[in-house]
Amino acid sequence: MFLSYFESRLPADFDNFTEMLKKLEFCEKLGIKNVILEPINKLKVIPLEIKKKIKSNTTLNVFFRINLRLNNLEDFKKRIKQYNNCSDILSIESLNKEVQLQAARDSRVDIISFSNLQIIKTLTPGVISLTKQNNSFLEFSLASIMITNKANQSKNFRNLYRFIQLALKYKANCIISGNFDDLYDLRHPRALISICNSLLGISLDRAKKIFIVNPILLLERTEKHHSNKLEPEVRLIKGGD
């Protein structure tokens, strides 16, 4: 199966299947083909039966991720043990720099997320370097600049621009997601690429890699490190659509 542009973080209510399908149907209408779903519920793991049910009710290529919001190093060490054999993408969000550094060293962690407006200000070259060594990824999201309050939008844009440029300077492994909670905020990744190019100073070639190639590399990493076997009919091919 040919994979092209990705929405790498689609929040979904796994307790409301009808609403989840509505969001996936909207993605289909927008022309989005590949999504990585993240439960907004406090699920420690995503049951296999739920995955099968979701995939049988959509034509999209659907993958899954778990996001852990952690306060301190003790919290990280306690909770990460539950994911020794995790078959899904595992991301970490934390204001604590010690947690970020430890997560960047840990092969079980696929993504260090800087989507949160407060967390993004804590990004350091040290974390970037460790993620590169470990072939894991940094994540940024565009939801914060798609708001209507102009003053907040301007502030959010400046922070996003500053730290994305820092990541680009150090040649970080990056993904950029929409991470939109509201159904009608969803955009096709081509539109998000245009935003990245025109507003965030990312070249078109680099932006396309972030939205096409890097999510595939992320999935391949997850498969390798977590023994996650993709369905036999799914074959990852790098390239455009």
Side-chain angles (χ1 to χ4, degrees):
M1 184 177 292
F2 189 80
L3 301 178
S4 55
Y5 297 98
F6 276 76
E7 170 49 68
S8 298
R9 191 177 193 179
L10 185 64
D13 185 352
F14 278 53
D15 290 332
N16 190 335
F17 193 76
T18 301
E19 192 64 27
M20 190 192 313
L21 283 186
K22 183 179 178 182
K23 187 172 278 193
L24 292 176
E25 288 168 4
F26 195 75
C27 287
E28 290 181 37
K29 291 177 181 178
L30 286 174
I32 299 172
K33 297 178 181 178
N34 311 294
V35 299
I36 301 176
L37 284 179
E38 178 183 298
I40 61 174
N41 325 75
K42 293 183 178 180
L43 287 178
K44 292 181 179 179
V45 295
I46 304 170
L48 182 60
E49 58 269 24
I50 292 180
K51 295 180 184 179
K52 289 180 177 178
K53 186 177 179 181
I54 292 170
K55 291 184 176 184
S56 67
N57 281 277
T58 182
T59 62
L60 301 178
N61 300 311
V62 181
F63 305 93
F64 301 90
R65 59 181 279 176
I66 295 288
N67 186 60
L68 302 181
R69 293 178 174 87
L70 304 172
N71 297 318
N72 52 54
L73 204 53
E74 183 180 349
D75 194 15
F76 173 83
K77 291 177 179 178
K78 178 180 179 182
R79 297 182 65 184
I80 196 67
K81 293 177 183 178
Q82 302 172 34
Y83 297 93
N84 289 338
N85 298 305
C86 179
S87 63
D88 299 315
I89 296 164
L90 182 63
S91 66
I92 299 294
E93 278 186 315
S94 181
L95 276 166
N96 188 306
K97 292 184 180 181
E98 287 186 337
V99 172
Q100 295 171 14
L101 290 168
Q102 187 64 33
R105 295 186 186 100
D106 197 307
S107 63
R108 290 167 290 190
V109 178
D110 302 298
I111 299 170
I112 315 297
S113 181
F114 291 88
S115 300
N116 179 281
L117 288 174
Q118 296 302 313
I119 295 175
I120 196 172
K121 300 175 187 177
T122 66
L123 178 61
T124 62
V127 169
I128 295 172
S129 177
L130 286 169
T131 55
K132 288 172 64 179
Q133 290 175 37
N134 204 26
N135 292 320
S136 53
F137 290 79
L138 302 180
E139 178 185 42
F140 302 98
S141 295
L142 299 178
S144 64
I145 62 171
M146 306 290 275
I147 59 176
T148 55
N149 184 301
K150 297 301 181 184
N152 288 339
Q153 184 185 57
S154 178
K155 180 178 69 174
N156 297 347
F157 167 75
R158 288 194 300 270
N159 282 326
L160 188 60
Y161 180 89
R162 174 187 173 190
F163 288 100
I164 282 182
Q165 289 302 315
L166 177 67
L168 294 178
K169 176 183 177 181
Y170 287 98
K171 297 181 171 59
N173 302 322
C174 291
I175 60 170
I176 297 179
S177 61
N179 193 27
F180 300 120
D181 290 316
D182 191 291
L183 180 69
Y184 298 104
D185 284 337
L186 282 166
R187 301 288 188 276
H188 190 281
R190 277 196 298 267
L192 302 184
I193 285 173
S194 180
I195 291 171
C196 289
N197 176 240
S198 59
L199 297 179
L200 296 173
I202 305 175
S203 71
L204 277 176
D205 286 344
R206 185 71 183 267
K208 287 179 180 179
K209 180 182 178 182
I210 287 170
F211 281 89
I212 299 172
V213 178
N214 285 1
I216 293 173
L217 295 176
L218 169 65
L219 290 167
E220 289 176 344
R221 182 192 191 280
T222 305
E223 180 181 16
K224 178 181 177 181
H225 284 268
H226 306 309
S227 301
N228 180 25
K229 302 300 180 183
L230 301 179
E231 288 77 6
E233 70 271 17
V234 175
R235 183 164 56 93
L236 299 177
I237 303 177
K238 299 179 178 67
D241 58 357

